[in-house]
Protein backbone atom coordinates (compact mmCIF):
# COMPACT_ATOMS: atom_id res chain seq x y z
CA UNK A 1 0.00 0.00 0.00
CA UNK A 2 1.34 3.42 -1.00
CA UNK A 3 0.55 6.27 1.36
CA UNK A 4 -0.73 9.74 0.54
CA UNK A 5 1.26 12.62 1.99
CA UNK A 6 -1.54 13.40 4.46
CA UNK A 7 -1.49 9.76 5.68
CA UNK A 8 2.25 10.02 6.25
CA UNK A 9 1.70 13.13 8.34
CA UNK A 10 -0.84 11.26 10.47
CA UNK A 11 1.46 8.25 10.87
CA UNK A 12 4.34 10.50 11.88
CA UNK A 13 2.23 12.39 14.40
CA UNK A 14 1.02 9.13 15.96
CA UNK A 15 4.24 7.13 15.68
CA UNK A 16 4.56 6.49 19.41
CA UNK A 17 0.99 5.21 19.72
CA UNK A 18 1.53 2.94 16.71
CA UNK A 19 4.80 1.65 18.09
CA UNK A 20 3.12 0.81 21.39
CA UNK A 21 0.24 -1.13 19.85
CA UNK A 22 2.24 -2.98 17.16
CA UNK A 23 3.41 -5.91 19.40
CA UNK A 24 -0.25 -6.65 20.22
CA UNK A 25 -1.16 -7.34 16.59
CA UNK A 26 -0.49 -10.68 14.89
CA UNK A 27 -1.50 -9.47 11.39
CA UNK A 28 -2.25 -12.99 10.21
CA UNK A 29 -5.23 -14.40 8.31
CA UNK A 30 -6.54 -15.85 11.53
CA UNK A 31 -6.31 -12.53 13.39
CA UNK A 32 -7.55 -10.21 10.65
CA UNK A 33 -10.90 -9.40 12.29
CA UNK A 34 -9.59 -8.98 15.83
CA UNK A 35 -6.66 -6.87 14.59
CA UNK A 36 -8.94 -4.63 12.57
CA UNK A 37 -11.32 -4.16 15.47
CA UNK A 38 -8.43 -3.15 17.71
CA UNK A 39 -7.08 -0.70 15.11
CA UNK A 40 -10.53 0.76 14.36
CA UNK A 41 -11.04 1.47 18.03
CA UNK A 42 -7.64 3.13 18.36
CA UNK A 43 -7.19 4.91 15.03
CA UNK A 44 -10.61 5.17 13.40
CA UNK A 45 -10.50 6.03 9.70
CA UNK A 46 -6.70 5.68 9.72
CA UNK A 47 -6.78 2.02 10.82
CA UNK A 48 -6.01 0.71 7.34
CA UNK A 49 -2.94 2.93 6.98
CA UNK A 50 -1.66 1.96 10.43
CA UNK A 51 -2.09 -1.74 9.65
CA UNK A 52 -0.20 -1.31 6.36
CA UNK A 53 2.60 0.57 8.13
CA UNK A 54 3.09 -2.10 10.80
CA UNK A 55 3.15 -4.84 8.16
CA UNK A 56 5.72 -2.91 6.11
CA UNK A 57 7.89 -2.28 9.18
CA UNK A 58 7.99 -6.01 9.88
CA UNK A 59 8.86 -6.67 6.25
CA UNK A 60 11.90 -4.37 6.63
CA UNK A 61 13.21 -6.03 9.81
CA UNK A 62 16.86 -6.38 8.69
CA UNK A 63 16.95 -3.17 6.67
CA UNK A 64 16.36 -0.24 9.01
CA UNK A 65 15.04 0.51 12.54
CA UNK A 66 11.61 -0.90 13.32
CA UNK A 67 10.18 2.52 14.15
CA UNK A 68 10.87 4.02 10.72
CA UNK A 69 8.00 5.01 8.47
CA UNK A 70 7.83 2.97 5.28
CA UNK A 71 5.38 1.47 2.82
CA UNK A 72 5.43 -2.10 1.57
CA UNK A 73 7.11 -1.37 -1.78
CA UNK A 74 9.82 0.72 -0.14
CA UNK A 75 10.44 -2.01 2.44
CA UNK A 76 10.75 -4.65 -0.26
CA UNK A 77 13.08 -2.55 -2.43
CA UNK A 78 15.32 -1.42 0.43
CA UNK A 79 18.71 -3.09 0.79
CA UNK A 80 19.56 -5.07 3.96
CA UNK A 81 21.62 -2.96 6.34
CA UNK A 82 24.80 -5.05 6.10
CA UNK A 83 24.74 -4.83 2.30
CA UNK A 84 24.20 -1.06 2.36
CA UNK A 85 27.07 -0.68 4.82
CA UNK A 86 29.35 -2.61 2.47
CA UNK A 87 28.43 -0.31 -0.43
CA UNK A 88 29.17 2.75 1.69
CA UNK A 89 32.63 1.38 2.56
CA UNK A 90 33.27 0.64 -1.11
CA UNK A 91 32.53 4.25 -2.04
CA UNK A 92 34.57 5.65 0.84
CA UNK A 93 37.52 3.40 -0.05
CA UNK A 94 37.32 4.69 -3.64
CA UNK A 95 37.79 8.26 -2.38
CA UNK A 96 34.18 9.42 -2.41
CA UNK A 97 33.28 12.29 -0.10
CA UNK A 98 29.73 13.14 -1.21
CA UNK A 99 26.84 10.90 -2.29
CA UNK A 100 23.67 11.99 -4.04
CA UNK A 101 21.08 9.22 -3.68
CA UNK A 102 18.71 10.04 -6.55
CA UNK A 103 16.12 7.40 -5.59
CA UNK A 104 16.37 7.82 -1.84
CA UNK A 105 12.87 6.53 -1.00
CA UNK A 106 12.53 6.49 2.82
CA UNK A 107 16.25 7.14 3.36
CA UNK A 108 17.63 3.68 4.14
CA UNK A 109 21.08 4.31 2.60
CA UNK A 110 21.75 7.52 4.53
CA UNK A 111 22.86 6.14 7.94
CA UNK A 112 25.47 3.87 6.34
CA UNK A 113 26.87 6.63 4.15
CA UNK A 114 27.19 8.87 7.19
CA UNK A 115 28.84 6.09 9.19
CA UNK A 116 31.41 5.75 6.39
CA UNK A 117 32.19 9.48 6.63
CA UNK A 118 30.30 10.51 3.50
CA UNK A 119 28.05 13.51 3.09
CA UNK A 120 24.62 12.46 1.78
CA UNK A 121 21.86 14.14 -0.22
CA UNK A 122 18.65 12.25 -0.94
CA UNK A 123 16.11 13.04 -3.60
CA UNK A 124 12.96 11.29 -4.77
CA UNK A 125 9.94 12.04 -6.91
CA UNK A 126 7.48 10.86 -4.27
CA UNK A 127 6.37 13.54 -1.81
CA UNK A 128 5.05 10.87 0.56
CA UNK A 129 8.34 8.99 0.71
CA UNK A 130 10.27 12.20 1.23
CA UNK A 131 8.02 12.94 4.20
CA UNK A 132 8.81 9.48 5.56
CA UNK A 133 12.53 10.04 4.97
CA UNK A 134 12.34 13.35 6.86
CA UNK A 135 10.74 11.61 9.84
CA UNK A 136 13.25 8.76 9.71
CA UNK A 137 16.41 10.84 9.28
CA UNK A 138 15.58 14.00 11.21
CA UNK A 139 15.44 17.66 10.39
CA UNK A 140 19.14 17.90 9.53
CA UNK A 141 18.93 15.48 6.60
CA UNK A 142 19.46 16.93 3.11
CA UNK A 143 16.38 16.02 1.08
CA UNK A 144 14.93 17.32 -2.16
CA UNK A 145 12.05 16.42 -4.45
CA UNK A 146 13.41 15.62 -7.91
CA UNK A 147 13.21 13.16 -10.78
CA UNK A 148 16.19 10.79 -10.84
CA UNK A 149 16.73 11.68 -14.51
CA UNK A 150 16.73 15.44 -13.84
CA UNK A 151 20.00 16.22 -11.99
CA UNK A 152 19.37 18.14 -8.78
CA UNK A 153 23.00 18.42 -7.64
CA UNK A 154 26.35 19.39 -9.11
CA UNK A 155 28.00 15.98 -8.77
CA UNK A 156 30.44 15.77 -11.68
CA UNK A 157 33.60 13.97 -12.68
CA UNK A 158 35.88 12.19 -10.25
CA UNK A 159 35.10 9.73 -7.49
CA UNK A 160 34.82 12.42 -4.77
CA UNK A 161 31.13 12.75 -5.70
CA UNK A 162 28.99 9.72 -6.56
CA UNK A 163 25.44 9.25 -7.81
CA UNK A 164 23.69 6.30 -6.12
CA UNK A 165 20.53 4.93 -7.71
CA UNK A 166 18.19 2.06 -6.97
CA UNK A 167 15.91 1.59 -9.99
CA UNK A 168 12.71 -0.40 -9.59
CA UNK A 169 13.58 -4.03 -10.33
CA UNK A 170 10.14 -5.59 -10.67
CA UNK A 171 7.29 -5.16 -13.11
CA UNK A 172 3.97 -6.98 -12.89
CA UNK A 173 5.39 -9.02 -10.01
CA UNK A 174 8.39 -10.30 -11.99
CA UNK A 175 12.07 -9.43 -11.74
CA UNK A 176 13.52 -7.30 -14.54
CA UNK A 177 16.66 -8.73 -16.18
CA UNK A 178 17.06 -6.21 -19.02
CA UNK A 179 18.86 -3.05 -17.77
CA UNK A 180 16.92 -0.95 -20.29
CA UNK A 181 13.64 -2.00 -18.64
CA UNK A 182 14.55 -0.81 -15.14
CA UNK A 183 12.72 2.25 -13.81
CA UNK A 184 14.49 4.52 -14.43
CA UNK A 185 16.34 2.65 -17.22
CA UNK A 186 20.07 2.12 -16.72
CA UNK A 187 21.05 3.73 -20.07
CA UNK A 188 18.99 6.80 -19.20
CA UNK A 189 20.64 7.08 -15.77
CA UNK A 190 24.11 6.95 -17.31
CA UNK A 191 23.14 9.55 -19.91
CA UNK A 192 21.64 11.87 -17.27
CA UNK A 193 24.93 12.16 -15.36
CA UNK A 194 27.73 12.46 -17.93
CA UNK A 195 31.14 12.38 -16.31
CA UNK A 196 29.79 11.41 -12.89
CA UNK A 197 30.66 8.25 -11.03
CA UNK A 198 27.66 6.03 -10.40
CA UNK A 199 26.68 3.15 -8.14
CA UNK A 200 23.51 1.52 -9.43
CA UNK A 201 21.79 -1.19 -7.41
CA UNK A 202 20.28 -3.95 -9.54
CA UNK A 203 18.72 -7.38 -9.10
CA UNK A 204 21.37 -10.13 -9.02
CA UNK A 205 20.02 -11.70 -12.23
CA UNK A 206 20.50 -8.55 -14.32
CA UNK A 207 22.40 -8.87 -17.59
CA UNK A 208 25.53 -6.85 -16.78
CA UNK A 209 27.79 -8.38 -19.44
CA UNK A 210 28.28 -5.03 -21.20
CA UNK A 211 29.05 -3.04 -18.05
CA UNK A 212 32.61 -1.67 -18.16
CA UNK A 213 33.11 -0.88 -14.49
CA UNK A 214 32.97 -2.98 -11.34
CA UNK A 215 30.11 -5.42 -10.83
CA UNK A 216 29.78 -6.38 -7.17
CA UNK A 217 27.44 -9.32 -6.48
CA UNK A 218 26.57 -9.44 -2.78
CA UNK A 219 24.96 -12.17 -0.70
CA UNK A 220 23.79 -12.12 2.89
CA UNK A 221 23.35 -15.27 4.97
CA UNK A 222 23.30 -17.41 1.84
CA UNK A 223 20.82 -15.34 -0.18
CA UNK A 224 22.05 -13.26 -3.13
CA UNK A 225 20.70 -9.75 -2.58
CA UNK A 226 21.95 -7.54 -5.40
CA UNK A 227 24.45 -6.75 -8.12
CA UNK A 228 25.74 -3.21 -7.71
CA UNK A 229 27.18 -1.64 -10.85
CA UNK A 230 29.99 0.88 -10.28
CA UNK A 231 31.49 3.07 -12.98
CA UNK A 232 35.21 2.58 -13.82
CA UNK A 233 36.35 5.46 -11.63
CA UNK A 234 35.23 3.42 -8.61
CA UNK A 235 36.44 0.01 -9.75
CA UNK A 236 36.61 -2.59 -12.49
CA UNK A 237 36.21 -6.33 -12.98
CA UNK A 238 33.90 -8.58 -11.01
CA UNK A 239 33.65 -9.33 -7.33
CA UNK A 240 31.56 -11.58 -5.13
CA UNK A 241 31.01 -10.41 -1.57
CA UNK A 242 29.81 -13.01 0.92
CA UNK A 243 28.35 -11.43 4.08
CA UNK A 244 26.83 -13.10 7.10
CA UNK A 245 25.07 -11.73 10.15
CA UNK A 246 27.70 -13.33 12.41
CA UNK A 247 30.37 -10.99 10.96
CA UNK A 248 31.80 -13.34 8.30
CA UNK A 249 33.01 -11.49 5.18
CA UNK A 250 34.75 -12.91 2.13
CA UNK A 251 35.48 -10.98 -1.05
CA UNK A 252 36.44 -12.81 -4.25
CA UNK A 253 37.74 -10.73 -7.16
CA UNK A 254 38.45 -11.59 -10.78
CA UNK A 255 37.38 -11.00 -14.35
CA UNK A 256 34.09 -12.78 -13.82
CA UNK A 257 34.26 -15.10 -16.81
CA UNK A 258 35.31 -18.56 -15.73
CA UNK A 259 35.07 -19.76 -19.31
CA UNK A 260 37.82 -17.37 -20.40
CA UNK A 261 40.17 -18.36 -17.59
CA UNK A 262 42.61 -21.27 -17.49
CA UNK A 263 41.04 -24.71 -17.98
CA UNK A 264 39.35 -25.94 -14.86
CA UNK A 265 40.84 -28.71 -12.80
CA UNK A 266 38.24 -31.47 -13.11
CA UNK A 267 38.48 -34.65 -11.04
CA UNK A 268 36.43 -37.28 -9.33
CA UNK A 269 35.11 -36.22 -5.94
CA UNK A 270 37.46 -36.15 -3.00
CA UNK A 271 36.46 -36.21 0.66
CA UNK A 272 33.90 -33.41 0.37
CA UNK A 273 31.48 -31.80 -2.09
CA UNK A 274 30.99 -28.07 -1.63
CA UNK A 275 28.60 -25.68 -3.35
CA UNK A 276 29.98 -22.11 -3.54
CA UNK A 277 27.94 -19.22 -2.21
CA UNK A 278 25.40 -17.91 -4.71
CA UNK A 279 27.25 -14.58 -5.04
CA UNK A 280 30.35 -16.43 -6.25
CA UNK A 281 28.29 -18.36 -8.80
CA UNK A 282 26.40 -15.27 -10.05
CA UNK A 283 29.64 -13.29 -10.40
CA UNK A 284 31.22 -16.03 -12.55
CA UNK A 285 34.02 -16.62 -10.05
CA UNK A 286 33.62 -20.30 -9.22
CA UNK A 287 37.04 -21.29 -10.58
CA UNK A 288 38.71 -18.33 -8.90
CA UNK A 289 37.20 -19.30 -5.56
CA UNK A 290 38.09 -22.96 -6.11
CA UNK A 291 41.73 -22.10 -6.78
CA UNK A 292 41.84 -19.96 -3.64
CA UNK A 293 40.73 -22.86 -1.46
CA UNK A 294 42.42 -25.78 -3.22
CA UNK A 295 39.20 -27.20 -4.65
CA UNK A 296 38.35 -28.64 -8.05
CA UNK A 297 35.26 -29.07 -10.22
CA UNK A 298 33.34 -32.28 -10.81
CA UNK A 299 32.47 -30.99 -14.29
CA UNK A 300 33.70 -27.82 -16.05
CA UNK A 301 30.11 -26.61 -16.53
CA UNK A 302 28.79 -27.33 -13.03
CA UNK A 303 29.33 -25.23 -9.90
CA UNK A 304 29.70 -28.14 -7.48
CA UNK A 305 33.27 -28.37 -6.19
CA UNK A 306 35.22 -30.99 -4.32
CA UNK A 307 38.24 -31.10 -2.06
CA UNK A 308 39.88 -32.71 0.92
CA UNK A 309 38.53 -30.15 3.37
CA UNK A 310 35.77 -27.57 3.64
CA UNK A 311 36.90 -23.92 3.43
CA UNK A 312 36.59 -22.16 6.83
CA UNK A 313 33.20 -20.58 7.27
CA UNK A 314 31.49 -22.80 4.71
CA UNK A 315 29.62 -26.11 4.72
CA UNK A 316 29.91 -29.28 2.70
CA UNK A 317 28.92 -32.91 2.36
CA UNK A 318 31.19 -35.88 3.09
CA UNK A 319 30.94 -38.24 0.10
CA UNK A 320 29.90 -41.84 0.76
CA UNK A 321 29.01 -43.20 -2.69
CA UNK A 322 28.24 -42.24 -6.29
CA UNK A 323 25.52 -44.01 -8.29
CA UNK A 324 23.38 -43.52 -11.42
CA UNK A 325 20.05 -41.88 -10.66
CA UNK A 326 18.12 -45.09 -11.19
CA UNK A 327 20.05 -46.71 -8.32
CA UNK A 328 19.65 -43.82 -5.88
CA UNK A 329 16.67 -45.20 -3.93
CA UNK A 330 18.30 -48.59 -3.29
CA UNK A 331 21.62 -47.01 -2.31
CA UNK A 332 19.93 -44.68 0.19
CA UNK A 333 18.07 -47.56 1.77
CA UNK A 334 21.34 -49.43 2.21
CA UNK A 335 22.67 -46.39 4.09
CA UNK A 336 19.59 -46.26 6.37
CA UNK A 337 18.54 -42.85 5.01
CA UNK A 338 15.37 -41.44 6.51
CA UNK A 339 15.65 -37.78 5.48
CA UNK A 340 17.68 -36.20 2.67
CA UNK A 341 18.84 -32.74 1.68
CA UNK A 342 18.93 -32.73 -2.14
CA UNK A 343 20.96 -30.30 -4.28
CA UNK A 344 20.67 -30.40 -8.08
CA UNK A 345 22.66 -28.77 -10.90
CA UNK A 346 22.55 -29.49 -14.61
CA UNK A 347 19.87 -32.19 -14.34
CA UNK A 348 16.11 -31.80 -14.72
CA UNK A 349 15.13 -33.11 -11.29
CA UNK A 350 12.73 -31.49 -8.83
CA UNK A 351 14.17 -32.13 -5.32
CA UNK A 352 10.76 -32.07 -3.62
CA UNK A 353 9.18 -34.46 -6.11
CA UNK A 354 12.18 -36.79 -5.89
CA UNK A 355 12.09 -36.78 -2.10
CA UNK A 356 8.45 -37.96 -2.18
CA UNK A 357 9.25 -40.72 -4.68
CA UNK A 358 12.10 -42.07 -2.55
CA UNK A 359 9.74 -42.93 0.36
CA UNK A 360 12.65 -43.36 2.76
CA UNK A 361 12.05 -45.00 6.14
CA UNK A 362 15.52 -45.10 7.67
CA UNK A 363 16.92 -43.27 10.68
CA UNK A 364 19.85 -41.25 9.25
CA UNK A 365 20.02 -37.75 7.75
CA UNK A 366 21.84 -37.82 4.40
CA UNK A 367 22.77 -35.44 1.62
CA UNK A 368 22.28 -36.13 -2.10
CA UNK A 369 24.12 -34.10 -4.72
CA UNK A 370 22.78 -34.63 -8.24
CA UNK A 371 24.84 -33.24 -11.09
CA UNK A 372 25.56 -33.78 -14.75
CA UNK A 373 29.13 -35.05 -15.02
CA UNK A 374 30.17 -35.32 -18.63
CA UNK A 375 27.19 -36.82 -20.44
CA UNK A 376 25.73 -38.62 -17.45
CA UNK A 377 23.61 -37.64 -14.46
CA UNK A 378 25.24 -38.80 -11.24
CA UNK A 379 23.95 -38.91 -7.70
CA UNK A 380 26.55 -38.46 -4.97
CA UNK A 381 25.31 -39.85 -1.68
CA UNK A 382 26.77 -38.04 1.29
CA UNK A 383 26.52 -37.67 5.02
CA UNK A 384 24.43 -34.78 6.33
CA UNK A 385 25.71 -31.27 5.71
CA UNK A 386 28.56 -30.22 7.99
CA UNK A 387 29.74 -26.68 8.72
CA UNK A 388 33.39 -25.77 9.28
CA UNK A 389 33.66 -22.85 11.69
CA UNK A 390 36.13 -20.04 11.31
CA UNK A 391 39.45 -20.47 13.18
Amino acid sequence: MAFHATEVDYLAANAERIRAIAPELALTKASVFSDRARLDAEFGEHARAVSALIAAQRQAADKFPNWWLTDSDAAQQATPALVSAHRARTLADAGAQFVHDVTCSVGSEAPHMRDAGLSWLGSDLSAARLRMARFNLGEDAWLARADALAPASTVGGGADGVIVADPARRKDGRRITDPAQLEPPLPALVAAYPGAELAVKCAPGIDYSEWEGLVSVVSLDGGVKEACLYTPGIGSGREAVVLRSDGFVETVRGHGDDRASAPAEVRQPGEWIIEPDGAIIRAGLVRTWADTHGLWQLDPHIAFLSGEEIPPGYSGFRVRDAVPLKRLKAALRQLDAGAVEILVRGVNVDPDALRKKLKLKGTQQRGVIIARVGDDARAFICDAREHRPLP
Side-chain angles (χ1 to χ4, degrees), residues 300-319:
H301 307 291
I302 299 296
F304 290 131
L305 302 173
S306 189
E308 298 309 321
E309 61 180 12
I310 303 171
Y314 287 88
S315 62
F317 300 84
R318 189 186 299 273
V319 180

mmCIF file of all heavy atoms in Angstrom, residues 300-319:
data_model
loop_
_atom_site.group_PDB
_atom_site.id
_atom_site.type_symbol
_atom_site.label_atom_id
_atom_site.label_comp_id
_atom_site.label_asym_id
_atom_site.label_seq_id
_atom_site.Cartn_x
_atom_site.Cartn_y
_atom_site.Cartn_z
ATOM 1 N N PRO A 300 33.350 -29.215 -15.771
ATOM 2 C CA PRO A 300 33.698 -27.817 -16.052
ATOM 3 C C PRO A 300 32.498 -26.892 -16.195
ATOM 4 O O PRO A 300 32.657 -25.669 -16.158
ATOM 5 C CB PRO A 300 34.487 -27.914 -17.367
ATOM 6 C CG PRO A 300 34.097 -29.207 -17.975
ATOM 7 C CD PRO A 300 33.828 -30.129 -16.825
ATOM 8 N N HIS A 301 31.308 -27.443 -16.336
ATOM 9 C CA HIS A 301 30.111 -26.613 -16.528
ATOM 10 C C HIS A 301 29.208 -26.572 -15.301
ATOM 11 O O HIS A 301 28.138 -25.960 -15.344
ATOM 12 C CB HIS A 301 29.310 -27.134 -17.729
ATOM 13 C CG HIS A 301 30.115 -27.268 -18.981
ATOM 14 N ND1 HIS A 301 30.606 -26.184 -19.669
ATOM 15 C CD2 HIS A 301 30.559 -28.373 -19.642
ATOM 16 C CE1 HIS A 301 31.290 -26.594 -20.724
ATOM 17 N NE2 HIS A 301 31.280 -27.919 -20.731
ATOM 18 N N ILE A 302 29.628 -27.213 -14.220
ATOM 19 C CA ILE A 302 28.789 -27.330 -13.027
ATOM 20 C C ILE A 302 29.505 -26.692 -11.843
ATOM 21 O O ILE A 302 30.713 -26.846 -11.670
ATOM 22 C CB ILE A 302 28.478 -28.808 -12.724
ATOM 23 C CG1 ILE A 302 27.726 -29.438 -13.901
ATOM 24 C CG2 ILE A 302 27.675 -28.949 -11.449
ATOM 25 C CD1 ILE A 302 26.363 -28.833 -14.171
ATOM 26 N N ALA A 303 28.734 -26.000 -10.995
ATOM 27 C CA ALA A 303 29.333 -25.230 -9.904
ATOM 28 C C ALA A 303 29.682 -26.061 -8.678
ATOM 29 O O ALA A 303 30.304 -25.545 -7.759
ATOM 30 C CB ALA A 303 28.399 -24.093 -9.487
ATOM 31 N N PHE A 304 29.302 -27.335 -8.620
ATOM 32 C CA PHE A 304 29.701 -28.138 -7.479
ATOM 33 C C PHE A 304 31.205 -28.366 -7.504
ATOM 34 O O PHE A 304 31.790 -28.707 -8.537
ATOM 35 C CB PHE A 304 28.989 -29.496 -7.491
ATOM 36 C CG PHE A 304 27.527 -29.420 -7.196
ATOM 37 C CD1 PHE A 304 26.602 -30.055 -8.003
ATOM 38 C CD2 PHE A 304 27.061 -28.715 -6.090
ATOM 39 C CE1 PHE A 304 25.245 -29.990 -7.728
ATOM 40 C CE2 PHE A 304 25.704 -28.646 -5.810
ATOM 41 C CZ PHE A 304 24.798 -29.283 -6.637
ATOM 42 N N LEU A 305 31.822 -28.204 -6.328
ATOM 43 C CA LEU A 305 33.265 -28.365 -6.191
ATOM 44 C C LEU A 305 33.566 -29.487 -5.217
ATOM 45 O O LEU A 305 32.702 -29.912 -4.453
ATOM 46 C CB LEU A 305 33.896 -27.063 -5.690
ATOM 47 C CG LEU A 305 33.660 -25.816 -6.542
ATOM 48 C CD1 LEU A 305 34.206 -24.591 -5.834
ATOM 49 C CD2 LEU A 305 34.284 -25.968 -7.914
ATOM 50 N N SER A 306 34.808 -29.950 -5.251
ATOM 51 C CA SER A 306 35.216 -30.990 -4.321
ATOM 52 C C SER A 306 36.605 -30.685 -3.795
ATOM 53 O O SER A 306 37.367 -29.913 -4.392
ATOM 54 C CB SER A 306 35.196 -32.366 -5.008
ATOM 55 O OG SER A 306 35.395 -33.398 -4.062
ATOM 56 N N GLY A 307 36.933 -31.300 -2.665
ATOM 57 C CA GLY A 307 38.242 -31.101 -2.062
ATOM 58 C C GLY A 307 38.417 -31.994 -0.859
ATOM 59 O O GLY A 307 37.511 -32.752 -0.476
ATOM 60 N N GLU A 308 39.573 -31.875 -0.236
ATOM 61 C CA GLU A 308 39.883 -32.706 0.923
ATOM 62 C C GLU A 308 39.472 -32.060 2.236
ATOM 63 O O GLU A 308 39.538 -32.687 3.286
ATOM 64 C CB GLU A 308 41.385 -33.039 0.937
ATOM 65 C CG GLU A 308 41.841 -33.826 -0.278
ATOM 66 C CD GLU A 308 40.987 -35.072 -0.549
ATOM 67 O OE1 GLU A 308 40.593 -35.742 0.426
ATOM 68 O OE2 GLU A 308 40.707 -35.356 -1.724
ATOM 69 N N GLU A 309 39.055 -30.792 2.181
ATOM 70 C CA GLU A 309 38.526 -30.149 3.374
ATOM 71 C C GLU A 309 37.599 -29.016 2.974
ATOM 72 O O GLU A 309 37.687 -28.479 1.863
ATOM 73 C CB GLU A 309 39.647 -29.633 4.279
ATOM 74 C CG GLU A 309 40.543 -28.595 3.647
ATOM 75 C CD GLU A 309 41.639 -28.130 4.607
ATOM 76 O OE1 GLU A 309 41.830 -28.779 5.654
ATOM 77 O OE2 GLU A 309 42.286 -27.116 4.300
ATOM 78 N N ILE A 310 36.709 -28.669 3.879
ATOM 79 C CA ILE A 310 35.766 -27.570 3.645
ATOM 80 C C ILE A 310 36.462 -26.252 3.952
ATOM 81 O O ILE A 310 37.135 -26.133 4.983
ATOM 82 C CB ILE A 310 34.535 -27.724 4.555
ATOM 83 C CG1 ILE A 310 33.851 -29.079 4.325
ATOM 84 C CG2 ILE A 310 33.546 -26.591 4.331
ATOM 85 C CD1 ILE A 310 32.769 -29.386 5.350
ATOM 86 N N PRO A 311 36.335 -25.236 3.095
ATOM 87 C CA PRO A 311 36.904 -23.922 3.433
ATOM 88 C C PRO A 311 36.306 -23.387 4.734
ATOM 89 O O PRO A 311 35.115 -23.587 5.006
ATOM 90 C CB PRO A 311 36.492 -23.045 2.234
ATOM 91 C CG PRO A 311 36.283 -24.010 1.111
ATOM 92 C CD PRO A 311 35.725 -25.245 1.754
ATOM 93 N N PRO A 312 37.104 -22.718 5.564
ATOM 94 C CA PRO A 312 36.593 -22.157 6.828
ATOM 95 C C PRO A 312 35.406 -21.228 6.587
ATOM 96 O O PRO A 312 35.418 -20.401 5.681
ATOM 97 C CB PRO A 312 37.795 -21.384 7.371
ATOM 98 C CG PRO A 312 38.987 -22.043 6.743
ATOM 99 C CD PRO A 312 38.546 -22.468 5.380
ATOM 100 N N GLY A 313 34.386 -21.409 7.388
ATOM 101 C CA GLY A 313 33.203 -20.579 7.271
ATOM 102 C C GLY A 313 32.156 -21.109 6.329
ATOM 103 O O GLY A 313 31.088 -20.508 6.181
ATOM 104 N N TYR A 314 32.423 -22.233 5.680
ATOM 105 C CA TYR A 314 31.486 -22.803 4.713
ATOM 106 C C TYR A 314 31.037 -24.192 5.169
ATOM 107 O O TYR A 314 31.510 -24.729 6.171
ATOM 108 C CB TYR A 314 32.126 -22.875 3.324
ATOM 109 C CG TYR A 314 32.255 -21.529 2.673
ATOM 110 C CD1 TYR A 314 33.376 -20.727 2.888
ATOM 111 C CD2 TYR A 314 31.248 -21.025 1.857
ATOM 112 C CE1 TYR A 314 33.497 -19.475 2.308
ATOM 113 C CE2 TYR A 314 31.355 -19.775 1.274
ATOM 114 C CZ TYR A 314 32.483 -18.999 1.503
ATOM 115 O OH TYR A 314 32.582 -17.766 0.923
ATOM 116 N N SER A 315 30.107 -24.775 4.412
ATOM 117 C CA SER A 315 29.620 -26.113 4.721
ATOM 118 C C SER A 315 29.803 -27.020 3.519
ATOM 119 O O SER A 315 30.008 -26.552 2.387
ATOM 120 C CB SER A 315 28.138 -26.066 5.126
ATOM 121 O OG SER A 315 27.349 -25.582 4.057
ATOM 122 N N GLY A 316 29.738 -28.320 3.769
ATOM 123 C CA GLY A 316 29.907 -29.281 2.699
ATOM 124 C C GLY A 316 29.344 -30.630 3.088
ATOM 125 O O GLY A 316 28.824 -30.820 4.197
ATOM 126 N N PHE A 317 29.470 -31.583 2.174
ATOM 127 C CA PHE A 317 28.916 -32.913 2.361
ATOM 128 C C PHE A 317 30.030 -33.945 2.188
ATOM 129 O O PHE A 317 30.709 -33.966 1.151
ATOM 130 C CB PHE A 317 27.814 -33.178 1.337
ATOM 131 C CG PHE A 317 26.653 -32.231 1.413
ATOM 132 C CD1 PHE A 317 26.692 -30.990 0.781
ATOM 133 C CD2 PHE A 317 25.507 -32.580 2.115
ATOM 134 C CE1 PHE A 317 25.622 -30.116 0.842
ATOM 135 C CE2 PHE A 317 24.427 -31.703 2.186
ATOM 136 C CZ PHE A 317 24.483 -30.476 1.556
ATOM 137 N N ARG A 318 30.194 -34.812 3.183
ATOM 138 C CA ARG A 318 31.190 -35.882 3.086
ATOM 139 C C ARG A 318 30.648 -36.982 2.169
ATOM 140 O O ARG A 318 29.561 -37.517 2.387
ATOM 141 C CB ARG A 318 31.497 -36.455 4.462
ATOM 142 C CG ARG A 318 32.696 -37.420 4.459
ATOM 143 C CD ARG A 318 32.863 -38.072 5.819
ATOM 144 N NE ARG A 318 33.126 -37.093 6.862
ATOM 145 C CZ ARG A 318 34.348 -36.639 7.180
ATOM 146 N NH1 ARG A 318 35.414 -37.067 6.519
ATOM 147 N NH2 ARG A 318 34.490 -35.766 8.160
ATOM 148 N N VAL A 319 31.410 -37.315 1.125
ATOM 149 C CA VAL A 319 30.942 -38.242 0.101
ATOM 150 C C VAL A 319 31.032 -39.684 0.597
ATOM 151 O O VAL A 319 32.065 -40.121 1.116
ATOM 152 C CB VAL A 319 31.769 -38.074 -1.195
ATOM 153 C CG1 VAL A 319 31.277 -39.046 -2.268
ATOM 154 C CG2 VAL A 319 31.689 -36.638 -1.696
#
